[in-house]
Amino acid sequence: MRFAASRDAALERLLAFVPRAGRTYAAQRNYDRGPGRHEAVSQLSPYVRHRVVTEAEVLAAVLERHGTTGAAKFVDEVFWRTYWKGWLETHPAAWTRYLRQLDQQRAEMNGDDARRADYERAIAGATGIEPFDAWVRELTSDNYLHNHARMWFASVWIFTLRLPWEVKSQICCNSGSSIA
Ligand SMILES: Cc1cc2nc3c(=O)[nH]c(=O)nc-3n(C[C@H](O)[C@H](O)[C@H](O)COP(=O)(O)OP(=O)(O)OC[C@H]3O[C@@H](n4cnc5c(N)ncnc54)[C@H](O)[C@@H]3O)c2cc1C
C-alpha cells in the first residue's frame, strides 16, 4: 500500500518532501506523472484529511527549512484547504443542500437504467476513456489523485459522461475515503 496508515509513515513522507517544497514544488506541481511517481507534490492529503498530521505541523516543517518566502506556493495550497474548510464551517447550509441533492440524484439515477449503467461503468473504470479509467484504478487502489487529475476527472465526469457531480463523491476507496 502506498499510503501506510500510521503517524510514522505520515512524518516520514513529510520529512522526505520538505526539501522539495520550495522551487521544485512551484515548478513541477502541475504535472501528474502517474501512480508511484508523484514526488513533485507532497502526497500528504490523506494524512491531513484524517488528521494524522495537521496543517500547522506541515507548515512549521516547511517554514523552518525554506523561511517565509522560499515555499510560498506550497504554503498557499495548504491555506486553500484551510480556506474552503473555513468557508464550509461558516456556510453549513451548503453541506445540507448537497446532501439533499445527493439523495435526489441517487433516486433519479435508480429510476433510470441507462443513466445507472453509465454511472456503474464510470465507477468501475470501464468507460473506455483510457486516462479516466486509469484514474479510477488509482483512486480505488491508492485513495489518492494528483490535483490536476482531480480537475480532469471532474471535467470528464460532468461534461463528457454527463453524470451528476453530487454522486462523484460516492467513489469509495480501499480505505473508505472518497473524492469530493
Ligand atoms: C475536483 C477536485 C476535487 C478535490 N477533492 C479534494 C478532496 O476531496 N479532499 C482534499 O483534501 N483535497 C481535494 N482537492 C484538492 C487537491 O487536489 C488535493 O488536496 C491534492 O491533490 C492532494 O495532493 P497532495 O497532498 O500531494 O497536494 P500538494 O500539492 O502537495 O498540496 C499540499 C496540501 O495542500 C492542500 N491542497 C493542495 N491543493 C489544493 C487545492 N487545489 N485545494 C485545496 N487544498 C489543496 C492539501 O491539504 C494538500 O495535502 C480536490 C481538487 C479538485 C480539483
Side-chain angles (χ1 to χ4, degrees), residues 60-175:
V62 167
L63 291 173
E64 188 185 345
R65 169 76 180 241
H66 296 278
T68 49
T69 54
K73 192 72 211 161
F74 181 77
V75 173
D76 281 356
E77 294 307 318
V78 176
F79 270 97
W80 271 118
R81 184 180 198 282
T82 306
Y83 167 76
W84 68 255
K85 284 285 180 188
W87 190 91
L88 275 178
E89 210 172 304
T90 54
H91 297 73
W95 181 249
T96 40
R97 193 168 55 243
Y98 159 72
L99 292 176
R100 217 174 30 246
Q101 287 169 346
L102 177 60
D103 280 347
Q104 200 180 319
Q105 291 292 351
R106 271 202 201 117
E108 277 176 28
M109 223 163 51
N110 286 335
D112 180 337
D113 288 348
R115 210 167 158 76
R116 179 83 208 171
D118 287 345
Y119 169 75
E120 298 289 353
R121 258 193 305 277
I123 64 170
T127 63
I129 303 169
E130 225 174 285
F132 182 90
D133 294 345
W135 293 322
V136 172
R137 283 195 296 279
E138 184 177 2
L139 183 58
T140 48
S141 76
D142 294 350
N143 187 18
Y144 175 86
L145 280 185
H146 185 276
N147 184 51
H148 265 232
R150 293 186 202 216
M151 284 192 259
W152 295 319
F153 188 106
S155 173
V156 172
W157 184 275
I158 292 161
F159 298 112
T160 308
L161 301 174
R162 305 226 169 256
L163 289 165
W165 67 267
E166 290 88 349
V167 297
K168 182 161 66 68
S169 63
Q170 302 306 293
I171 300 183
C172 284
C173 312
N174 292 338
S175 66

Side-chain angles (χ1 to χ4, degrees), residues 4 14 26 28 37 42 44 47 49 56 58 60 66 69 76 79 81 116 140 142 149 179:
L14 173 59
Q28 296 182 27
R37 301 179 60 211
S42 71
L44 285 168
Y47 297 110
R49 186 228 185 282
V58 170
H66 296 278
T69 54
D76 281 356
F79 270 97
R81 184 180 198 282
R116 179 83 208 171
T140 48
D142 294 350
I179 181 172

